[in-house]
Amino acid sequence: MGRKLSAEAGASEPQWADRLWRGNQPSGSSVVLEEQLNLLPILDLRQEMPTPRVSKSFLSLLFQVLNMVLSLAVDGLVCVCREICSIRFLFTAVSLLSIFLAALWWGLLYLIPPLENEPPEMLTLSQYHHRVHSQGQQLQQLQAELNKLHKEVSSVRAAHSERVAKLVFQRLNEDFVRKPDYALSSVGASIDLEKTSSDYEDQNTAYFWNRLSFWNYARPPSVILEPDVFPGNCWAFEGDKGQVVIRLPGHVQLSDITLQHPPPTVAHTGGASSAPRDFAVYGLQADDETEVFLGKFIFDVQKSEIQTFHLQNDPPSAFPKVKIQILSNWGHPRFTCLYRVRAHGVRTSEWADDNATGVTGGPH
């Protein structure tokens, strides 16, 4: 507003001075003209005076605002310092810190699973080599002890294998058949060597001293009449075909024949290929010429080691001898082994003696 008035005053100043000059010129007074000219700068100064007053009021207002802001900031800082330094704040901070630490400890104990395996300690290269060397020596000692123990067990097993097998087979063979055996040497049975196949002779081991009776390991055919059945204690004949004739202790009405052979699991050769497979049974009359066919059977090595076969002796006839003819074996190319043969039935001579003396009873 001040600047606008000053501009209007500056624009009307020549007109006003001119009018004043023209109006006062007829009077011819020089004193009045000078006074009028002196009034011009006074009027300019009066018109420009309001502007400095406005600047001073704005600066004072700015200073007041700054002073108020500074006072508020100082008051806030003072309040904060007082609150921080107060006992109540310290107590609250300590309480919150205690609760935080307790929660952290509880989490470590119950929430985090315990470490089962602690990390191994760090070893230097020399310590690692030393430890590996010591462990290698311990392993060598353990290996030596194991080898020694294995040798001892092997020697004990080899020394007692036949003995243990003999005892086992004796227990197995005691009462399995539950029939009287008339092909038993202890009751008077024997082998008719003239009608029996020859023994097997191993050419690879036929040394001079093996031909002597006390050095000959081959078993005679009479071994099939003994109850001792264990691996190797058998009568062997050459090939897969042969026969044996058993002289019974009297005239017997034959009803069954039992063959026995060790199972493949206990055989030293790892199988039962030398066992008989197909065989036939004949009853011999008193003239040793007449043979009566009593049946043809198969001995299955996959079944029990003791197998009984029912004979076709109908009507019942009594025979003093029985012939077992082997027709094939289970694949052995050189020989066949017979371990034990049993003959079951009724001894007719005993019945005749009992009837003559008036004694009644069952057959043996």
Side-chain angles (χ1 to χ4, degrees), residues 32 77 119 128 134 166-167 198-199 203 208 277 293 309 318:
V32 176
L77 291 175
Y128 178 77
S134 61
K166 181 179 179 180
L167 293 176
S198 58
D199 301 343
Q203 300 297 329
F208 173 75
R277 181 174 181 176
F293 178 75
F309 306 92

Side-chain angles (χ1 to χ4, degrees), residues 43-355:
L43 292 174
D44 295 335
L45 291 175
R46 287 178 181 178
Q47 293 176 354
E48 295 176 357
M49 285 299 292
T51 302
R53 290 179 182 178
V54 174
S55 300
K56 289 181 180 180
S57 63
F58 177 76
L59 291 176
S60 63
L61 181 61
L62 180 62
F63 284 124
Q64 290 177 1
V65 171
L66 291 176
N67 188 15
M68 184 179 297
V69 171
L70 290 174
S71 63
L72 291 175
V74 171
D75 292 339
L77 291 175
V78 170
C79 292
V80 171
C81 292
R82 288 178 181 178
E83 187 65 23
I84 291 175
C85 297
S86 64
I87 298 175
R88 184 176 62 185
F89 176 79
L90 293 177
F91 179 75
T92 304
V94 170
S95 301
L96 292 175
L97 182 61
S98 300
I99 294 173
F100 174 74
L101 292 177
L104 181 62
W105 180 255
W106 182 82
L108 291 176
L109 287 179
Y110 297 98
L111 297 181
I112 301 178
L115 296 177
E116 296 180 356
N117 299 323
E118 297 182 356
E121 57 179 354
M122 300 300 294
L123 300 176
T124 61
L125 185 60
S126 59
Q127 293 176 348
Y128 178 77
H129 284 299
H130 178 71
R131 181 170 295 184
V132 170
H133 181 68
S134 61
Q135 291 179 355
Q137 290 180 348
Q138 293 177 0
L139 289 176
Q140 291 178 358
Q141 293 177 358
L142 290 176
Q143 185 66 33
E145 293 179 359
L146 287 176
N147 293 335
K148 182 178 179 181
L149 182 61
H150 179 71
K151 290 181 180 179
E152 293 178 356
V153 171
S154 299
S155 61
V156 171
R157 185 179 299 172
H160 298 282
S161 60
E162 293 184 359
R163 180 180 175 184
V164 172
K166 181 179 179 180
L167 293 176
V168 170
F169 279 112
Q170 284 180 354
R171 296 297 181 269
L172 291 175
N173 300 335
E174 282 180 353
D175 295 323
F176 275 11
V177 179
R178 295 186 180 276
K179 293 182 180 182
D181 180 15
Y182 292 99
L184 194 63
S185 60
S186 60
V187 298
S190 60
I191 300 295
D192 189 349
L193 296 178
E194 293 182 357
K195 296 181 180 297
T196 300
S197 300
S198 58
D199 301 343
Y200 170 73
E201 293 184 1
D202 190 358
Q203 300 297 329
N204 296 328
T205 58
Y207 298 103
F208 173 75
W209 51 82
N210 271 349
R211 297 182 181 276
L212 301 177
S213 60
F214 55 87
W215 281 106
N216 190 5
Y217 291 99
R219 307 297 294 168
S222 60
V223 72
I224 67 174
L225 308 178
E226 300 294 336
D228 297 334
V229 178
F230 53 88
N233 189 33
C234 66
W235 171 61
F237 59 88
E238 188 172 0
D240 59 349
K241 295 178 176 60
Q243 67 180 25
V244 59
V245 176
I246 302 174
R247 187 181 295 110
L248 301 175
H251 286 72
V252 179
Q253 292 180 359
L254 297 174
S255 61
D256 302 279
I257 286 290
T258 298
L259 265 62
Q260 181 176 354
H261 194 281
T265 55
V266 299
H268 290 179
T269 57
S273 60
S274 63
R277 181 174 181 176
D278 299 308
F279 68 97
V281 181
Y282 297 88
L284 274 66
Q285 297 289 356
D287 57 1
D288 284 348
E289 297 296 334
T290 305
E291 296 183 352
V292 178
F293 178 75
L294 299 178
K296 182 180 178 181
F297 312 97
I298 297 177
F299 182 84
D300 191 354
V301 294
Q302 301 300 327
K303 297 181 179 179
S304 174
E305 64 270 15
I306 302 175
Q307 300 178 28
T308 301
F309 306 92
H310 185 68
L311 300 178
Q312 304 170 5
N313 189 11
D314 190 20
S317 300
F319 304 99
K321 297 180 182 180
V322 60
K323 182 176 77 172
I324 311 297
Q325 185 177 11
I326 307 300
L327 304 177
S328 64
N329 61 16
W330 284 92
H332 202 288
R334 292 180 296 165
F335 58 85
T336 303
C337 285
L338 278 180
Y339 275 83
R340 187 179 179 185
V341 177
R342 307 183 195 186
H344 310 292
V346 178
R347 188 173 177 179
T348 58
S349 59
E350 290 181 357
W351 280 101
D353 294 341
D354 292 340
N355 292 332

